[in-house]
């Protein structure tokens, strides 16, 4: 894959009008977009359909988790929307139900392991005894066993996860920050080049692009860094 197919721009903006503005500004530089809760609850599902109809790839970041039947029915409908990727929390029963529901659709299901905004103290507070790294590895093993299309994890865990899932599964890493950029609420971050070298297949970048004075220039600078890393 070329760098453009690996860069996913997170449209973490409050309105569809602002999302449309960002897509116009990015023009043909970006072909893959992430739509999450903020935009979904502001009319973003129809916007996601429109992007797919216009030939863009859409990563619907819904982090599904529910009883098996509810997860399956949701996945079936999302597959019909033409989405390229969909997240669900990497719980084994939910993943197995989703994989069965998505069979034959071309929808890439991604298991969310440990959010990149969480560290060891956050996991302890949530009732887990594992470190983030140990829990990511366990979830990766379970996702592979369930037949998932890929994993969402921090770039810090990408190398370990790649060793677990092999070359065929996607490793999608949020928390990507160009050198010198603010971390914001992310705690486990890497630069684009570092993440690709670590084994990530797709990079999710939101604020460094959508909040930039010139989003297209910011995206193209990241794409140039990614291209150089892929050549190396």
């Amino acid at each position: 894959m070329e760098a453009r197919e690996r860069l996913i721009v997170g449209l973490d903006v409050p309105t569809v009008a602002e999302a449309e503005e960002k897509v116009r500004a990015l023009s043909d530089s970006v072909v893959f977009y992430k739509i999450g809760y903020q935009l979904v609850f502001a009319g973003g599902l129809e916007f996601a359909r429109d992007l797919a109809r216009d030939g863009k790839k859409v990563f619907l970041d819904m982090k599904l988790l529910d009883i098996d039947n509810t997860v399956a029915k949701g996945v079936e409908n999302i597959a019909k929307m033409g989405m390229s990727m969909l997240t669900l929390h990497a719980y084994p029963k939910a993943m197995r139900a989703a994989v069965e529901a998505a069979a034959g659709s071309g929808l890439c299901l991604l298991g969310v392991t440990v959010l990149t905004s969480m560290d060891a103290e956050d996991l302890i507070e949530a009732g887990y005894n594992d470190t983030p790294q140990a829990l990511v590895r366990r979830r990766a093993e379970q996702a592979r066993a369930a037949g998932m299309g890929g994993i969402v994890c921090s770039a810090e865990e990408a190398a370990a996860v790649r060793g677990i899932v092999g070359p065929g599964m996607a490793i999608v890493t949020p928390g990507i920050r160009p050198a010198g950029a603010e971390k914001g609420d992310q705690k486990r971050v890497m630069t684009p080049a570092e993440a690709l070298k670590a084994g990530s297949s797709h990079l999710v970048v939101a604020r460094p692009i959508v909040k930039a004075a010139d989003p297209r220039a910011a995206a193209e600078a990241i794409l140039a860094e990614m291209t150089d890393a892929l050549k190396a």
Side-chain angles (χ1 to χ4, degrees), residues 91 118-129 135:
Y91 285 69
M118 299 181 73
D119 58 18
E121 291 184 1
D122 296 317
L123 286 183
I124 291 170
E125 184 179 22
Y128 290 92
N129 293 321
L135 185 54

Side-chain angles (χ1 to χ4, degrees), residues 56-70:
K56 301 294 187 182
K57 293 184 177 182
V58 180
F59 166 15
L60 195 61
D61 188 16
M62 295 303 295
K63 300 181 181 71
L64 301 181
L65 181 61
D66 212 307
I67 64 172
D68 296 0
N69 183 66
T70 300

Side-chain angles (χ1 to χ4, degrees), residues 5-225:
E5 296 173 295
R6 296 173 180 264
L7 174 64
I8 304 174
V9 173
L11 291 173
D12 297 339
V13 294
T15 67
V16 169
E18 189 171 344
E20 291 172 337
E21 178 187 338
K22 298 302 180 186
V23 171
R24 284 194 298 270
L26 291 165
S27 187
D28 293 335
S29 296
V30 174
V31 299
F32 214 148
Y33 291 95
K34 178 183 77 74
I35 293 178
Y37 288 143
Q38 182 180 24
L39 196 56
V40 160
F41 296 128
L45 286 179
E46 191 57 42
F47 178 63
R49 289 188 183 94
D50 291 342
L51 282 178
R53 282 195 289 264
D54 289 342
K56 301 294 187 182
K57 293 184 177 182
V58 180
F59 166 15
L60 195 61
D61 188 16
M62 295 303 295
K63 300 181 181 71
L64 301 181
L65 181 61
D66 212 307
I67 64 172
D68 296 0
N69 183 66
T70 300
V71 168
K73 296 304 181 185
V75 168
E76 287 174 3
N77 282 334
I78 290 168
K80 294 174 185 176
M81 293 170 59
M83 302 295 97
S84 296
M85 288 179 168
L86 169 69
T87 51
L88 57 149
H89 282 289
Y91 285 69
K93 280 173 59 65
M95 290 192 290
R96 290 192 292 267
V99 167
E100 183 176 352
S105 69
L107 175 64
C108 180
L109 297 172
L110 303 172
V112 176
T113 55
V114 178
L115 300 177
T116 53
S117 61
M118 299 181 73
D119 58 18
E121 291 184 1
D122 296 317
L123 286 183
I124 291 170
E125 184 179 22
Y128 290 92
N129 293 321
D130 288 328
T131 65
Q133 294 75 21
L135 185 54
V136 167
R137 289 194 294 271
R138 185 195 306 175
R139 296 299 194 214
E141 291 167 354
Q142 293 167 332
R144 182 192 61 191
M148 294 283 283
I151 286 292
V152 179
C153 67
S154 161
E156 290 184 1
E157 288 99 39
V161 169
R162 181 59 71 197
I164 292 167
V165 304
M169 289 176 65
I171 297 180
V172 180
T173 52
I176 301 300
R177 294 289 185 267
E182 293 292 330
K183 288 185 178 182
D185 57 0
Q186 303 287 3
K187 294 182 179 178
R188 303 186 336 273
V189 303
M190 275 192 183
T191 68
E194 289 170 341
L196 289 174
K197 291 174 183 176
S200 301
S201 62
H202 296 76
L203 311 183
V204 179
V205 184
R207 276 169 284 190
I209 292 177
V210 299
K211 298 298 184 184
D214 186 339
R216 184 170 182 173
E220 289 180 348
I222 291 172
L223 286 167
E225 180 179 343

